[in-house]
Amino acid sequence: MTHSLPSLNHAGYDQTNLYTPLKFPEIANAITHINEEHYDELIGFLTAFTTLSSEDIGESTVQLVDIYAEVIVLQIRPTDAKRTSIQSSDQTFFIPFTAPITQFSDLNTQYILLKQKADKKLGKKTIKLTTQTFVVQDSYKVSQNMLRLELTGPNINTSPNNAIPVDEAGYAYLFDLAHNFTSAKRDNTTLTRAHCYYTLRKAWQASDGVRAWVDVFLHGNTPGGDWARSLQAGDTVLSKREFPEKTAHLQDGQALLIADETSMPTVARLLELWENPIPPLVVCVTQDAADQAYFDEIKMMTSQTDIQFTLLPVITGKVNSGKALAILIDDILGKYLTTHPLQIEKVWGALEASTAKALRGLIQQRLELERTDSVIKVYWRHD
């Protein structure tokens, strides 16, 4: 039986006694992760499920403060400058799950269902829990350490619900590495990771169906890299989940894009589909100088043919992770802005987890942007 309650405003009495506390030790880390990595989704929940106006939400900070078996608890706090006699205190909202959580693994499912419901109500594309089958046509290097998989997938005309998006940047697929490992398994090998996310570099309609590029950065002997290297023409690959990237805020204003090798495919497609009349500044971080050539053939598809993006290369000579890399990026950016006085209004980036977390604070301190205008995502974790 499904569980459904209206979203409730915390006002006048303590409503927490209506809900079942969760005792799982992982809950605290889950709350921290959602606040750091999924802030825009929390805003979406409030927009979809409460009567708050976009102005009220935009002039406040939003935080996930607790998770119960039946609900998530969001707190909205007006910024000091926006506090008024009407909205002078924090407000708390209880947003219900579709069904109560009985074990920790339920949280991921219920959160996704909540996001899908909110996105549908807001008319937005959302995460899809669906299996897709692709067929490998070819694979080849496009830079020193970037391997391109050329795939065919579901046809737009025959499978419209599973069609590969041809006009989106950063659309991600969760690929099933175990599918290919099982068929090629050797007795002395083990699979250390069953799934891995990769973003769609590009897709287009061809005479034989939809063609797609998936570019995989080869950084040592990793499960994803080993999987990509092993694929041969004719092999099938499966994806289990897919979701769109958050880039709508880049449609206007001076933008800064920050990429390492794992997010270069997203930035490359962003540039090809660029509609903002102002060209972006692109900070590209690579371990090997030769991988900077990845952007050599990228052309911005805008109505203004005379504009081009500016590429600011950062070459480290080592694995691109950690707080020190965030400090280096911020330092190089600061020096560039000293001699090239741009007024950066929007940011999108994707990096290793510890780098992304540190860089968010540094970019906020330097540029003083609203959180919704500065999106720095985690694309991978350095084990």
Side-chain angles (χ1 to χ4, degrees):
M1 186 172 84
T2 60
H3 169 84
S4 179
L5 291 172
S7 57
L8 303 173
N9 187 351
H10 178 83
Y13 67 97
D14 184 3
Q15 295 177 2
T16 59
N17 59 7
L18 300 175
Y19 306 112
T20 308
L22 296 176
K23 304 297 185 180
F24 310 121
E26 303 94 339
I27 286 293
N29 286 338
I31 291 173
T32 298
H33 170 77
I34 292 170
N35 280 320
E36 291 180 350
E37 306 298 336
H38 301 277
Y39 185 79
D40 60 305
E41 295 168 2
L42 302 182
I43 291 175
F45 296 156
L46 290 173
T47 304
F49 304 131
T50 75
T51 58
L52 288 173
S53 68
S54 56
E55 182 179 4
D56 288 337
I57 298 172
E59 294 175 346
S60 306
T61 59
V62 178
Q63 187 173 24
L64 173 64
V65 294
D66 213 339
I67 300 174
Y68 290 85
E70 302 84 2
V71 297
I72 61 170
V73 186
L74 301 182
Q75 186 177 81
I76 179 168
R77 174 173 297 177
T79 59
D80 291 339
K82 299 298 180 181
R83 287 182 182 270
T84 66
S85 58
I86 297 175
Q87 188 181 3
S88 58
S89 61
D90 302 345
Q91 298 181 76
T92 303
F93 294 86
F94 297 76
I95 311 295
F97 292 123
T98 300
I101 293 172
T102 59
Q103 53 190 359
F104 182 71
S105 60
D106 293 341
L107 176 58
N108 185 56
T109 300
Q110 289 303 314
Y111 185 91
I112 289 174
L113 291 172
L114 192 60
K115 174 173 168 53
Q116 289 175 325
K117 183 179 179 181
D119 287 342
K120 182 178 181 180
K121 191 170 184 179
L122 297 173
K124 297 169 60 178
K125 289 190 175 183
T126 191
I127 187 170
K128 294 165 64 175
L129 303 178
T130 184
T131 298
Q132 299 263 39
T133 302
F134 303 85
V135 179
V136 179
Q137 300 299 316
D138 200 0
S139 65
Y140 47 89
K141 290 282 192 73
V142 291
S143 74
Q144 181 71 26
N145 298 290
M146 190 75 79
L147 180 69
R148 173 162 295 163
L149 303 176
E150 188 165 327
L151 312 173
T152 53
N155 191 291
I156 293 176
N157 297 322
T158 59
S159 303
N161 293 332
N162 293 331
I164 302 173
V166 299
D167 58 356
E168 292 187 41
Y171 198 86
Y173 289 92
L174 180 65
F175 284 100
D176 183 0
L177 310 188
H179 166 72
N180 301 95
F181 179 83
T182 301
S183 61
K185 183 177 178 182
R186 295 179 179 176
D187 293 339
N188 61 347
T189 61
T190 57
L191 184 64
T192 59
R193 186 174 183 180
H195 302 88
C196 194
Y197 278 108
Y198 287 107
T199 53
L200 188 66
R201 166 60 184 85
K202 181 180 180 179
W204 68 97
Q205 180 70 51
S207 59
D208 59 347
V210 176
R211 293 266 178 156
W213 289 343
V214 174
D215 291 351
V216 179
F217 175 56
L218 305 176
H219 49 110
N221 295 321
T222 63
D226 292 343
W227 166 79
R229 289 187 192 94
S230 73
L231 295 175
Q232 303 292 322
D235 288 348
T236 60
V237 295
L238 302 183
S239 67
K240 297 292 190 180
R241 184 183 299 176
E242 55 194 81
F243 65 91
E245 184 55 271
K246 182 182 182 293
T247 59
H249 66 298
L250 302 174
Q251 294 301 309
D252 54 58
Q254 176 63 62
L256 167 67
L257 308 178
I258 307 171
D260 67 6
E261 296 95 341
T262 65
S263 52
M264 289 195 303
T266 297
V267 170
R269 191 59 175 157
L270 271 173
L271 294 171
E272 289 177 342
L273 299 173
W274 198 256
E275 296 180 352
N276 185 335
I278 305 173
L281 171 64
V282 179
V283 176
C284 179
V285 185
T286 62
Q287 178 175 345
D288 193 320
D291 285 312
Q292 295 283 334
Y294 185 82
F295 286 103
D296 285 354
E297 303 302 319
I298 302 300
K299 305 218 179 280
M300 295 180 67
M301 301 298 179
T302 71
S303 58
Q304 303 180 56
T305 56
D306 59 335
I307 70 169
Q308 287 296 324
F309 65 94
T310 300
L311 184 67
L312 184 59
V314 179
I315 300 162
T316 63
K318 58 183 178 182
V319 175
N320 291 316
S321 65
K323 182 178 179 180
L325 177 58
I327 295 171
L328 175 63
I329 293 170
D330 180 63
D331 182 60
I332 290 174
L333 176 63
K335 291 177 180 176
Y336 180 86
L337 295 178
T338 299
T339 56
H340 302 77
L342 298 177
Q343 183 64 41
I344 294 175
E345 301 166 278
K346 306 291 177 65
V347 176
W348 185 91
L351 302 153
E352 186 272 335
S354 59
T355 305
K357 184 176 181 179
L359 189 59
R360 288 185 194 125
L362 294 171
I363 291 294
Q364 172 59 28
Q365 184 177 3
R366 180 174 295 283
L367 302 178
E368 298 182 343
L369 299 177
E370 295 292 334
R371 188 166 176 180
T372 52
D373 289 331
S374 182
V375 177
I376 301 178
K377 303 194 66 174
V378 172
Y379 262 25
W380 64 286
R381 298 178 184 275
H382 183 51
D383 298 329

